[in-house]
Amino acid sequence: GESVGLHLPTLSVQEGDNSIINCAYSNSASDYFIWYKQESGKGPQFIIDIRSNMDKRQGQRVTVLLNKTVKHLSLQIAATQPGDSAVYFCAEITYGNNRLAFGKGNQVVVIP
Amino acid sequence: DTGVSQNPRHKITKRGQNVTFRCDPISEHNRLYWYRQTLGQGPEFLTYFQNEAQLEKSRLLSDRFSAERPKGSFSTLEIQRTEQGDSAMYLCASSPPVGDTQYFGPGTRLTVL
């Protein structure tokens, strides 16, 4: 299928290792953040979200960290699996707004 | 599968033709969004519906683009007089009455020759 990840920053990670994907956002008024995973030829898939009144949130094998001081968001994937290979996008939204603003994608390639 | 569905999944058309895409949101999601995604980029917002009302449109939505949601359920996105620059993935998302999470469909890949 057609790759969504052409010319994107790429993180190559060994299967079983942990992955960290970073995202810088620009709007200090943003108060809700989402990480999406997008596989080739598919739509973005919700992974985890976090509100601006939190600095950490954990899901199954994933953790999102939010640093509002430097406007930085990260996604940690524990024990990365081949099925985690995809492009990952962070997205932000401001209260009262309806449009998600997406950051640049990061391609994750899991090496078996 | 009770997720967002989109049809067709792929559309190839000649420049100047009109195309129409359909989106069926998750049941009981009253908010619906259209985005466009080009290769290597994140999705860009096009328009937003709450029930049947189109409440927000991006500057990206030129006069050749029109979206409708007549009964507050499915939505259509029409592009008239397509241009090669319209080639992209058109994504639909929906969200429930409460909460900000937007759930995306698989998209419609448009290729304009």
Side-chain angles (χ1 to χ4, degrees):
Chain A
E2 186 176 359
S3 171
V4 178
L6 293 179
H7 310 300
L8 293 174
T10 300
L11 172 68
S12 296
V13 59
Q14 204 72 36
E15 181 179 358
D17 287 352
N18 297 336
S19 304
I20 300 177
I21 307 163
N22 296 303
C23 175
Y25 64 94
S26 57
N27 188 351
S28 57
S30 293
D31 54 11
Y32 180 59
F33 304 87
I34 307 174
W35 278 100
Y36 286 95
K37 170 187 178 184
Q38 189 171 27
E39 296 173 275
S40 182
K42 297 183 179 180
Q45 175 189 354
F46 172 86
I47 302 174
I48 192 168
D49 58 0
I50 189 168
R51 295 213 170 268
S52 59
N53 61 351
M54 303 172 69
D55 52 22
K56 181 179 180 179
R57 189 156 189 236
Q58 287 184 292
Q60 187 176 11
R61 284 202 306 118
V62 293
T63 301
V64 54
L65 300 177
L66 175 63
N67 186 330
K68 295 182 289 295
T69 303
V70 295
K71 290 186 285 188
H72 183 267
L73 196 67
S74 69
L75 177 70
Q76 300 177 359
I77 305 174
T80 313
Q81 302 170 359
D84 295 328
S85 293
V87 177
Y88 290 81
F89 290 98
C90 65
E92 59 185 293
I93 197 166
T94 306
Y95 179 78
N97 202 334
N98 299 294
R99 55 179 75 188
L100 282 171
F102 283 79
K104 293 185 178 183
N106 283 268
Q107 174 108 50
V108 171
V109 176
V110 180
I111 303 166
Chain B
D1 188 347
T2 56
V4 177
S5 62
Q6 293 186 245
N7 289 288
R9 294 294 311 278
H10 302 275
K11 178 70 177 178
I12 300 174
T13 191
K14 293 182 179 179
R15 189 176 52 185
Q17 297 295 303
N18 299 342
V19 293
T20 301
F21 310 140
R22 176 178 170 129
C23 170
D24 287 87
I26 294 171
S27 179
E28 299 181 356
H29 280 197
N30 65 329
R31 293 180 287 167
L32 186 147
Y33 316 80
W34 285 98
Y35 290 80
R36 181 173 70 186
Q37 184 177 30
T38 53
L39 205 59
Q41 304 296 317
E44 296 175 292
F45 172 84
L46 291 178
T47 191
Y48 159 67
F49 288 85
Q50 183 168 306
N51 299 312
E52 66 277 5
Q54 188 175 20
L55 298 183
E56 193 170 347
K57 292 196 289 186
S58 162
R59 287 173 294 178
L60 291 176
L61 213 66
S62 75
D63 292 344
R64 296 184 297 104
F65 287 68
S66 62
E68 295 182 343
R69 195 183 183 198
K71 298 181 180 178
S73 56
F74 73 90
S75 175
T76 57
L77 177 68
E78 181 183 16
I79 309 174
Q80 296 181 325
R81 306 181 302 282
T82 52
E83 302 173 355
Q84 288 185 325
D86 296 332
S87 295
M89 174 81 89
Y90 289 85
L91 293 161
C92 176
S94 69
S95 58
V98 177
D100 295 312
T101 306
Q102 297 182 21
Y103 299 91
F104 283 82
T108 295
R109 167 70 64 190
L110 173 66
T111 301
V112 182
L113 302 176

